[in-house]
Each structure stands twice: as C-alpha cells, then as structure tokens.
Amino acid sequence: MQIAIVLYDRFTALDAVGPYEILGRLPGAETVFVAERTGPVRADTGALALTADKSLAEVPSPDLVVVPGGPGQTAQMENGVLLDWLRAADASSTWTTSVCTGSLLLAAAGLLKGRRATSHWLALDLLDRFGAAPTGERVVFDGKYVTAAGVSSGIDMGLALLGRIAGDEHAQAVQLLTEYDPQPPYDAGSPQKAPAHLVEEFRTSSRFILT
Amino acid sequence: MQIAIVLYDRFTALDAVGPYEILGRLPGAETVFVAERTGPVRADTGALALTADKSLAEVPSPDLVVVPGGPGQTAQMENGVLLDWLRAADASSTWTTSVCTGSLLLAAAGLLKGRRATSHWLALDLLDRFGAAPTGERVVFDGKYVTAAGVSSGIDMGLALLGRIAGDEHAQAVQLLTEYDPQPPYDAGSPQKAPAHLVEEFRTSSRFILT
C-alpha cells in the first residue's frame, strides 16, 4: 500500500505528522510526502520545514491520500495542479482522507458532494458551500472518505483507519508503541468545552487564524 | 524566548512535532530546529525529513530545549558534540525538556542525576543507570527539567509547560486552536491498559524497537 501525504506552503505540521506517525507503521506500506515540487515545504509558523521527497506528478495513484490543513489551505483552493491531482488520485485510491481544513481542499476538488465530513471547528460551516454535510464529530467515515477535525485529531483518525486496514490488534500495538494515552492538563479542546470567551475570540479573529 | 528543538538521525517525528505545535504558539517566542549540521534530518521510518535550520553551534543558549527520542537515540548516547551542547545549553536554559527516549540523552549528559523523570515505557528502567528516579507518570516536572513519556506525550507536556510559562488561559486557547480533545478509538496507550500479550511482545522485541 502506498500512502501519500500532501504538503503545501503554510500547512500545519501536526496535521500531517499525526497520521504519518500512526499510518506509517502499517506493515508493508510505503509512505511518501508529496508536494507540487520536491524539497523542503514550510509549515505555517515558518519555523519548520518538512521535505517533500516526490512531486505530485511522480505519485499519480497512491492507495491512501492524506491532505493536511493549515492557513495555507486558502491559497490552494484554486490551485488547479493540486485539485486535478486530488481528483486523479482519488479515482483509484482505496482511502481519501484529510485533517483539519484539508477537507476543504477535498471539497473544492468536488470529492465530498453529498458526503458527511468534518473539518477544524472554525471552518466547519464552509464545507456546506461545496455540498458536503458537515458534522461536529472528531473523525468521520463516509465510504472511503475519512475526514478529521482540527490539527491533533489526525492521530485519532490514523488509529481508527489503521484499525480498519490492519485490524484492531495492530492499531492497539501502534497506540501502545506511540504511548497514546492522552492526559491533557486542561479540558478546552473543543468549542463545547473551552471557556466561551476564548471560542468567541477565535470566531471573531478567524480570518487571521485560517487565512 | 528562544525554543530549540533538537534533531538527529532516526528521531521519532511526533516526539518533536507535538511540542513544537504547542510551544511554537508561545507569543513572542522564536522556535528553531537544530542539529549537529543544518539541512534535512531523517526520522526513524525513513519516510520523513525535517529541516534543521541551524546547527547546534549557532544556537548556544536557548531558553527552552526540547530533546525528542527515537531509535536513533542509542547512537547519540556517546556523541560528545551533542552531549556537550546539552550541558552548555542547560547551564543557561530556563527549561530543559525531553520526550520519549530523549530523557536518556539528558541523563547521559548528566542532567538528571537525583531527579524524577520519565521516558518511553520500554526505556523507563534505563533511566536508573544514570542516577535518575524513573516514574511512570506521563509528564514529570522536577525543577526546570520536564520529561515526557513516549512519542505522543509531548503534546501533553507542551500544554502543561505552556500553561506554566504563559498562563492557563493561553494554554487553553492553544488546546482549542489545535482541537486537542483526544478520542482514541482504543484504550491501549499504556502498558497498564493494553492487552498483556502486546506488552509482552514489545518487551521481548524491545531491542528491535528502541535501537
């Protein structure tokens, strides 16, 4: 199985690295980071670059596609090269997946029409515009399409998907190896749980956060 | 505040990217990925490289040091350049931290003597050899030394440390932004919770996993 993780300028690093760390431990799989051009691709903070080892053109038909989100997603919404590649890759993929605002790119490529999907909580409403049915769930399976909520949710998606592909026991082994026994010191990880004024602040400044 | 995240050949990517995604959102902080030499540094699976933007020598006195773990940690245990840098950086740091087997590098540098610390569950006993007092907790604060358990625990450490540095509210805002509301599909993330035969299999093959 070939797993392609898509990079683009100003993606959010954990969106990509969460699923990579889990799905990359699928026995016999080849994981490859891809971008329009090979070489380092800067994440949103500017402080980190991940290497794209292959260009999109070099990986035309991966079995599993992961599209991360991040502030740079907005600029990709009209990037025909990426959207064409997503449509072509999806035509033969076994799984087409996203984390965070990566689902907006799948949606812009026309892949989520009529499908249940999720995204970063600040971007959830935007899925509507592309004919998808947004849900507030953390990980959403609709056929071969798997979308995850914001940033860190890609780890949960990776485990759920690994379980589907390789069985529960393998997924549990990877959970144990990565010691994924979360103990957040706060309980503010969703708009339902966080202090209301923080949610409001993000909503009013969401232009800054997501673009 | 300058945050230095250390890279070396065959580190585990999530060990570094978890804390980066959280601590990198500290207002006014500069985050820099450092390694013995600048350029791409390959993670343990071989499928991913992160860029070290600066050499260790170029970042002599960071305020906060993060040392990830991974199978490549073993080869670094006698790397005088790295251990000397850790000692020198620690002499002026405000916080010296690690994720996973990164704590063994801090210990090898002599920084954890007599201190409570943690590591990946498979490596916990090794801390003893360097005079540290291993605990099974997920995140351990002992003065300015903060160590985290395996791989994914760096996210919890990042949030706890961000709370200490910037206050609870800022840490909660970052938890909300990164939508860190974990919902693992299994409950197998620690040796106490995972199926016993998986724990045993890892223990008997731990040479393979950690070296």
Side-chain angles (χ1 to χ4, degrees):
Chain A
M1 174 173 269
Q2 190 184 43
I3 300 170
I5 304 178
V6 178
L7 302 178
Y8 52 83
D9 188 46
R10 300 181 67 225
F11 71 105
T12 297
L14 186 55
D15 289 21
V17 173
Y20 148 83
E21 198 68 64
I22 305 294
L23 294 169
R25 298 176 189 282
L26 181 66
E30 175 211 7
T31 302
V32 56
F33 282 80
V34 297
E36 209 170 324
R37 281 171 290 278
T38 58
V41 182
R42 276 290 137 184
D44 51 3
T45 66
L48 173 59
L50 271 60
T51 302
D53 284 321
K54 294 200 174 164
S55 69
L56 294 174
E58 289 175 298
V59 183
S61 49
D63 302 289
L64 197 164
V65 178
V66 181
V67 183
Q73 158 265 326
T74 313
Q76 300 299 320
M77 291 295 273
E78 294 180 355
N79 178 352
V81 175
L82 176 61
L83 299 185
D84 284 348
W85 181 86
L86 286 174
R87 279 185 284 262
D90 178 67
S92 59
S93 74
T94 307
W95 299 98
T96 297
T97 80
S98 65
V99 178
C100 199
T101 52
S103 59
L104 296 177
L105 291 169
L106 295 184
L111 303 178
L112 296 181
K113 271 183 197 138
R115 298 196 176 275
R116 295 174 68 253
T118 192
S119 191
H120 191 284
W121 63 272
L122 278 168
L124 210 46
D125 293 347
L126 297 174
L127 280 172
D128 251 345
R129 297 190 197 167
F130 299 96
T135 92
E137 292 160 58
R138 189 159 172 84
V139 177
V140 177
F141 281 76
D142 186 336
K144 74 173 192 179
Y145 300 91
V146 193
T147 52
V151 191
S152 61
S153 63
I155 300 173
D156 293 328
M157 180 187 78
L159 274 175
L161 188 50
L162 188 62
R164 295 273 187 113
I165 297 171
D168 292 341
E169 186 168 294
H170 186 76
Q172 289 173 316
V174 171
Q175 185 179 11
L176 178 58
L177 184 66
T178 56
E179 214 161 339
Y180 185 48
D181 178 28
Q183 297 171 26
Y186 307 98
D187 191 16
S190 79
Q192 289 75 37
K193 296 174 175 176
H197 72 281
L198 290 180
V199 175
E200 194 49 35
E201 276 170 37
F202 277 123
R203 286 205 195 277
T204 51
S205 65
S206 65
R207 219 169 272 271
F208 171 72
I209 298 296
L210 289 173
T211 63
Chain B
M1 173 172 272
Q2 189 185 44
I3 300 171
I5 303 179
V6 178
L7 301 178
Y8 52 84
D9 188 46
R10 299 180 68 222
F11 71 104
T12 297
L14 186 56
D15 290 21
V17 173
Y20 148 83
E21 198 69 63
I22 305 295
L23 293 169
R25 299 178 187 281
L26 182 65
E30 176 212 5
T31 302
V32 56
F33 282 80
V34 296
E36 210 170 325
R37 281 171 291 277
T38 58
V41 182
R42 277 288 137 185
D44 50 5
T45 65
L48 175 59
L50 270 61
T51 302
D53 284 320
K54 293 200 175 164
S55 69
L56 295 173
E58 289 174 298
V59 183
S61 50
D63 302 288
L64 196 165
V65 178
V66 181
V67 183
Q73 157 267 326
T74 313
Q76 300 299 319
M77 291 295 273
E78 295 181 354
N79 177 353
V81 175
L82 176 60
L83 300 184
D84 284 349
W85 182 86
L86 286 174
R87 279 185 284 263
D90 179 67
S92 59
S93 74
T94 307
W95 299 97
T96 297
T97 80
S98 65
V99 179
C100 199
T101 52
S103 59
L104 296 176
L105 291 169
L106 296 184
L111 304 178
L112 296 181
K113 270 182 198 139
R115 298 196 175 275
R116 295 174 69 253
T118 193
S119 191
H120 191 283
W121 62 273
L122 278 167
L124 210 46
D125 293 347
L126 297 173
L127 280 171
D128 251 346
R129 299 190 196 168
F130 299 95
T135 92
E137 292 160 59
R138 189 160 172 84
V139 177
V140 177
F141 280 76
D142 187 336
K144 75 172 191 179
Y145 300 92
V146 194
T147 53
V151 191
S152 61
S153 63
I155 300 173
D156 292 328
M157 180 188 79
L159 274 176
L161 188 50
L162 189 62
R164 296 273 188 112
I165 296 171
D168 293 340
E169 185 167 297
H170 186 75
Q172 288 173 315
V174 170
Q175 184 179 9
L176 178 58
L177 184 65
T178 56
E179 214 162 336
Y180 185 49
D181 178 27
Q183 296 172 27
Y186 307 98
D187 190 17
S190 79
Q192 290 75 37
K193 296 175 175 176
H197 72 279
L198 289 179
V199 175
E200 194 50 35
E201 276 170 37
F202 277 122
R203 285 205 196 277
T204 52
S205 65
S206 65
R207 218 171 272 271
F208 172 72
I209 298 295
L210 289 174
T211 63

